[in-house]
């Protein structure tokens, strides 16, 4: 597609519910990143894929967070047993393999846990 | 500890003036520094990338400088317009090309 597509755009979850957030990157982009952005803050790194390999998951805040990219294109970020502190915007970005390029971000999924 | 600092207060300027935003970092040796623009409800949009061995980079009305001795980057928008009003994020590239972002500075350009 023309850009990075994320769905759903908004998600309201009851505390304890599991959620799955989807990211469809730009075709041909090898690298895929997930970030979490709280209100008034910059994006915080969660995890990074190169093709289907998850090369860095150091930013995932707990073992309730899990990400996958099984075929090297679409990625899913799953949050189990959601808690109020998980409320944030979850941004997905993709880029070409080179380090000398900017990232293309999606519009994000705003998750509200009530 | 590692820090990326951007002015937390909004920058208010008048249309036509030059806006200058600051990004300072500590305990990083970045290979690249990038600037992004973010509008409310949208994801960041890439603007410019500057390498550690480059002093300055320009793109239309935008100019970025990178001083690795001062550990600082300046981002300039000349002849600013109300449409330039947004939050501007500074980000460093480290490790496996993962970006680390500052908190951003909001720019407000009044007509």
């Amino acid at each position: 597609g023309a850009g990075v597509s994320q769905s759903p755009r908004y998600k309201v979850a009851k505390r304890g519910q599991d959620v799955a957030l989807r990211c469809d990157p730009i075709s041909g982009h090898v690298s895929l990143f997930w970030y979490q952005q709280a209100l008034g803050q910059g994006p915080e790194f969660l995890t990074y894929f190169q093709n289907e390999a998850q090369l860095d998951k150091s930013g995932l805040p707990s073992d309730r967070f899990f990400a996958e990219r099984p075929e090297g294109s679409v990625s899913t970020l799953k949050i189990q047993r959601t808690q109020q502190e998980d409320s944030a915007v979850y941004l997905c970005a993709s880029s070409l393999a080179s380090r000398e390029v900017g990232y293309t971000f999606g519009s994000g999924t705003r998750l509200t846990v009530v | 500890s590692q820090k990326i600092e951007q002015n937390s207060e909004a920058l208010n300027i008048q249309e036509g003036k030059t806006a200058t935003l600051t990004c300072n970092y500590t305990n990083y040796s970045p290979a690249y520094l990038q600037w992004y623009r973010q509008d409310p409800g949208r994801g960041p949009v890439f603007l410019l990338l500057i390498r550690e061995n480059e002093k300055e980079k320009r793109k239309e009305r935008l100019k970025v400088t990178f001083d690795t001795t001062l550990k600082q980057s300046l981002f300039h928008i000349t002849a600013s317009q109300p449409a330039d009003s947004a939050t501007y994020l500074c980000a460093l590239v480290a490790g496996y090309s993962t970006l680390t972002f500052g908190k951003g500075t909001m720019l407000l350009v009044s007509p």
Side-chain angles (χ1 to χ4, degrees):
Chain A
V4 176
S5 177
Q6 291 188 247
S7 60
R9 190 77 174 86
Y10 302 93
K11 177 70 179 177
V12 178
K14 290 185 178 177
R15 193 157 53 99
Q17 191 178 353
D18 297 349
V19 298
L21 312 181
R22 177 188 167 104
C23 173
D24 206 334
I26 292 174
S27 177
H29 276 194
V30 170
S31 299
L32 185 144
F33 308 85
W34 284 98
Y35 283 81
Q36 181 191 60
Q37 187 171 27
L39 194 62
Q41 303 295 311
E44 296 275 344
F45 170 76
L46 294 176
T47 187
Y48 160 56
F49 290 86
Q50 186 165 312
N51 295 306
E52 67 279 2
Q54 189 174 21
L55 296 186
D56 188 347
K57 55 182 180 179
S58 62
L60 296 176
S62 77
D63 58 9
R64 295 185 297 104
F65 286 71
F66 171 76
E68 60 183 6
R69 193 186 185 197
E71 296 177 1
S73 56
V74 171
S75 176
T76 304
L77 176 67
K78 297 180 180 177
I79 309 173
Q80 295 177 324
R81 304 181 303 281
T82 52
Q83 299 177 6
Q84 280 196 311
E85 60 261 31
D86 300 334
S87 296
V89 174
Y90 291 85
L91 294 164
C92 175
S94 69
S95 75
L96 296 169
S98 168
R99 296 175 69 200
E100 297 194 28
V101 295
Y103 294 3
T104 304
F105 280 85
S107 291
T109 293
R110 180 176 295 279
L111 173 65
T112 304
V113 182
V114 298
Chain B
S1 63
Q2 295 177 319
K3 282 185 188 176
I4 301 172
E5 294 180 338
Q6 295 187 254
N7 266 357
S8 56
E9 292 183 14
L11 178 63
N12 286 275
I13 64 166
Q14 208 163 11
E15 183 175 10
K17 303 291 186 186
T18 296
T20 298
L21 306 176
T22 304
C23 175
N24 294 298
Y25 60 91
T26 54
N27 295 323
Y28 278 105
S29 295
Y32 310 95
L33 189 145
Q34 301 186 13
W35 283 88
Y36 287 76
R37 168 186 173 139
Q38 188 172 25
D39 293 283
R42 311 295 294 178
V45 174
F46 171 70
L47 297 175
L48 280 168
L49 177 151
I50 187 164
R51 299 177 186 81
E52 60 179 336
N53 60 352
E54 296 177 318
K55 297 285 187 191
E56 183 179 297
K57 185 73 78 71
R58 292 175 184 259
K59 179 182 173 183
E60 297 172 355
R61 295 184 296 112
L62 308 181
K63 184 178 88 171
V64 171
T65 63
F66 193 9
D67 189 325
T68 55
T69 302
L70 290 179
K71 296 187 184 297
Q72 181 181 79
S73 175
L74 298 178
F75 177 80
H76 307 271
I77 306 175
T78 58
S80 58
Q81 304 165 1
D84 295 326
S85 298
T87 295
Y88 290 86
L89 297 159
C90 160
L92 306 177
V93 177
Y96 295 104
S97 302
T98 57
L99 276 179
T100 303
F101 283 87
K103 291 184 179 181
T105 299
M106 185 181 294
L107 172 66
L108 299 169
V109 181
S110 359

